[in-house]
Amino acid sequence: MFHFYALSKVSVLFTMVLIFTYFFYCLTGFCDSAPRTLYSHQGSDADYDILDDHRRILGDLRPPARLLHDASPQRNLTVSADAERMDSPGPPSERTPDTEKDGMPVSNTFGLKRFPQAIIIGVKKGGTRALLEFLRIHPDVRAVGAEPHFFDRFYDKGLEWYRNLMPRTLDGQVTMEKTPSYFVTKEAPGRICTMNCQTKLIVVVRDPVTRAVSDYTQTLSKNPGLPSFQSLALKNSSTGLIDTTWSAVRIGLYAKHLENWLQYFPLSHFLFVSGERLVSDPAGEMGRVQDFLGLKRVVSNKHFYFNQTKGFPCLKKPEGSSRPRCLGKSKGRPHPQIPTEVLQRLRDFYKPFNHRFYQLSGQDFGWD
């Protein structure tokens, strides 16, 4: 009997300690921050769905439709919101966008979704993929993986769609994207300036003759039945006139494309990267790029080694990786043999355009 009475007293005492502890934590505010059960928010309503609640909150915060879908936004729009790399460039309705209220970003602890402060705008087969991969070593650079093609193909989807493609960035980090076809798209400079005329623009250029052959090689790998290089490059083999309607030739008219861009952006907003030096001295060119972006020089010689098989630099083995990082099989393809006289005709054709480009850019790339 005495034993039972003692156990009862211990039970009562233990219960009182638990109640006292509960009230103590509630008075200090702990109970408010504790997670609630699924149904506690709606009483005993068994039909409550937490996803509906999330949708309601997001709906309240969502900006007006004109801000989400305006394909002709006001100049220099620089609104920001949360970010993470998006998988595919689908329309905004296919994903849950980070939203904003009264023009203010709704952020989380992972940073903000911002329009790119810098864009690699060209040129195709100039070395843009290599440059972007080298830049991604830098801890203060966040970039979209795939080419968005917003300013040339998907502009009608609106700036909010574009921003949702961007990765999240913290203060001090630089958001970037790469789409080489922007450089040769007539409407692209005006559209980018509409977003933000302070955007920094990077152009990777390469000897236009070598670039044209590389371009042809890539197309040939996808379409083995393609006509010969000389039949596409020359209007008439007897006269030797160059066919400037062929995109592989037209892209190399750098001066003409740059003149279009200079109508919207001052020269100080451009950095022209040598595709040749990006191969022969990647650390040197990356130093220039980091300076242009206002970044500390983190990417240096210690990050590179030269791959003799591919013929261009690769990144040394990152920590925790079992092998070095090189660009894919599509990079470093052997070029087909092109008749010397055809290549010389192309060099003669490009010479005045190259000189004009040197004048406009303030750099002599030594292609002649």
Side-chain angles (χ1 to χ4, degrees):
M1 182 71 178
F2 177 79
H3 180 67
F4 175 78
Y5 180 75
L7 284 176
S8 298
K9 290 188 71 175
V10 169
S11 299
V12 171
L13 181 62
F14 181 73
T15 303
M16 290 180 65
V17 168
L18 287 178
I19 293 172
F20 175 81
T21 303
Y22 174 80
F23 278 110
F24 174 78
Y25 276 96
C26 284
L27 286 173
T28 58
F30 178 79
C31 296
D32 291 337
S33 61
R36 301 182 180 184
T37 61
L38 179 63
Y39 305 110
S40 63
H41 186 74
Q42 294 289 328
S44 60
D45 186 0
D47 295 327
Y48 172 68
D49 184 352
I50 195 169
L51 292 178
D52 290 335
D53 199 37
H54 287 173
R55 294 187 193 102
R56 177 182 59 77
I57 295 170
L58 288 173
D60 292 341
L61 293 173
R62 193 179 305 278
R66 61 178 178 80
L67 183 59
L68 286 172
H69 302 292
D70 185 6
S72 301
Q74 295 179 354
R75 296 171 69 85
N76 295 327
L77 183 60
T78 55
V79 181
S80 40
D82 298 352
E84 183 55 80
R85 183 184 306 166
M86 310 306 286
D87 294 328
S88 60
S93 59
E94 294 178 5
R95 62 179 76 138
T96 304
D98 297 286
T99 55
E100 54 188 53
K101 187 174 183 180
D102 299 327
M104 296 298 292
V106 178
S107 63
N108 60 26
T109 57
F110 296 101
L112 297 175
K113 185 174 292 186
R114 312 173 196 269
F115 292 121
Q117 296 104 309
I119 303 177
I120 301 173
I121 60 172
V123 298
K124 180 184 178 185
K125 306 308 296 180
T128 57
R129 172 54 59 184
L131 175 62
L132 187 64
E133 290 305 309
F134 296 165
L135 269 173
R136 291 172 95 163
I137 303 172
H138 202 293
D140 289 333
V141 172
R142 297 296 309 280
V144 182
E147 296 173 2
H149 283 281
F150 174 67
F151 295 105
D152 59 347
R153 298 181 189 173
F154 302 116
Y155 193 63
D156 61 336
K157 293 184 181 294
L159 280 171
E160 188 69 12
W161 176 89
Y162 179 56
R163 187 174 61 189
N164 276 325
L165 301 180
M166 298 300 124
R168 294 190 185 104
T169 52
L170 303 173
D171 289 344
Q173 291 184 316
V174 176
T175 305
M176 296 189 66
E177 71 116 313
K178 170 191 87 81
T179 305
S181 53
Y182 290 163
F183 190 60
V184 298
T185 300
K186 185 178 180 181
E187 299 82 9
R191 290 171 174 177
I192 292 177
C193 191
T194 294
M195 176 188 73
N196 184 4
C197 284
Q198 301 304 312
T199 305
K200 294 183 177 183
L201 307 167
I202 300 175
V203 191
V204 188
V205 289
R206 182 184 184 187
D207 182 335
V209 177
T210 310
R211 197 221 66 81
V213 176
S214 181
D215 198 337
Y216 171 79
T217 304
Q218 182 183 55
T219 308
L220 185 64
S221 69
K222 300 174 182 177
N223 181 12
L226 197 67
S228 66
F229 180 89
Q230 51 267 38
S231 65
L232 294 170
L234 304 177
K235 285 183 178 180
N236 187 306
S237 57
S238 58
T239 61
L241 289 175
I242 303 298
D243 189 353
T244 57
T245 63
W246 185 31
S247 64
V249 169
R250 189 175 65 254
I251 290 171
L253 302 173
Y254 304 144
K256 294 185 73 66
H257 304 307
L258 181 56
E259 284 172 345
N260 181 42
W261 283 85
L262 289 174
Q263 295 181 54
Y264 298 88
F265 293 91
L267 189 62
S268 60
H269 284 208
F270 292 86
L271 178 70
F272 301 98
V273 175
S274 167
E276 288 84 5
R277 286 197 294 273
L278 198 58
V279 172
S280 63
D281 181 20
E285 282 300 281
M286 290 306 299
R288 294 180 60 238
V289 175
Q290 290 169 95
D291 291 346
F292 176 69
L293 295 175
L295 298 170
K296 182 180 178 181
R297 287 198 175 197
V298 171
V299 185
S300 62
N301 269 319
K302 69 181 181 181
H303 292 98
F304 302 101
Y305 79 96
F306 192 81
N307 186 304
Q308 296 290 345
T309 304
K310 284 182 169 290
F312 55 74
C314 294
L315 297 171
K316 290 182 180 177
K317 184 174 69 172
E319 258 184 70
S321 175
S322 59
R323 58 182 179 178
R325 284 169 51 196
C326 280
L327 298 180
K329 294 179 180 179
S330 64
K331 309 299 179 183
R333 295 188 189 95
H335 290 178
Q337 289 293 321
I338 310 295
T340 306
E341 60 272 17
V342 175
L343 296 178
Q344 188 55 52
R345 283 177 180 176
L346 268 177
R347 294 195 184 284
D348 294 340
F349 165 76
Y350 278 124
K351 192 170 184 177
F353 294 101
N354 289 345
H355 283 217
R356 176 61 176 156
F357 180 64
Y358 299 164
Q359 292 174 347
L360 291 173
S361 65
Q363 291 178 236
D364 186 339
F365 290 89
W367 297 322
D368 306 310

